[in-house]
Amino acid sequence: MPLIPEEPQIHESVPGPRATPAAGRTAPTPRPVPGPGPRPAPPRGAPASSARPGKPGPAAPSRGPVPAPPVQRTDSPQPPVDPTGTAAGPQLQLIPAPAGGAVDAADEAVDLLLDSGRAPGEILVLTTGENHPWATHELSFGAASYWAQQDAADDVFYADAGAERVTGRPVVVVAVNAGTAGNEVNDDATARALPAALARAGALLIVCGDPERINAVLGANA
């Protein structure tokens, strides 16, 4: 299932440590899903209801004021729907970035999610290569303290895409970055990470990396 590169248009919000946006990248502010508008009020002095045109008999009794429709929530986008009307699973979005800039692109995506209203605890950031600097820093205090932050779910959590203890969240951001050995991306690790990330994403999966490489990996797993 190839992904079409697009500028980050994120319809969610997420809490967590703010990252510095990648240089030269801008993204539009996500627009909320429009909800149904209020019903127009009847003209002053007009009856609340009347008989249907052409139907004999007295006018129907007044039913009183009509309640306004429920307000549609805009704090998170609705999942895409397939032509049959069933939920199609998490929305997929690709943010083009080189291997060396994938982490920066992921940090920028997190900032956009937070700015659009996502709670930090709803966002998970995964790296296919070298650990995110936040994860490296927190792991220096011990694995128990590090994984306790995932369980608390009150902030953005950063982890290795191959870590088995990682749990799902509504939004998953994957940085297809290079490993510690050099600037090369490990395609085998990416091929394992993307399907696993898709399974962990509840509403939205954002992949930051080289579009050709990502589409090749996704095509091989299709």
Side-chain angles (χ1 to χ4, degrees), residues 77-176:
Q78 298 298 317
V81 177
D82 64 20
T84 64
T86 58
Q91 180 182 356
L92 304 179
Q93 185 174 357
L94 171 61
I95 298 178
V103 170
D104 288 340
D107 287 342
E108 181 180 352
V110 169
D111 279 343
L112 289 171
L113 288 165
L114 295 172
D115 289 342
S116 63
R118 271 282 171 187
E122 295 180 341
I123 303 173
L124 169 66
V125 180
L126 302 174
T127 53
T128 63
E130 187 174 5
N131 276 343
H132 188 282
W134 183 92
T136 301
H137 174 75
E138 295 301 321
L139 282 167
S140 67
F141 297 104
S145 172
Y146 169 74
W147 290 109
Q149 296 184 62
Q150 173 183 247
D151 298 337
D154 56 5
D155 206 345
V156 181
F157 189 72
Y158 298 79
D160 186 308
E164 295 182 357
R165 291 183 61 177
V166 174
T167 57
R169 290 194 176 185
V171 182
V172 176
V173 182
V174 180
V176 181

Side-chain angles (χ1 to χ4, degrees), residues 56-68:
S62 173
R63 295 181 301 168
V66 179

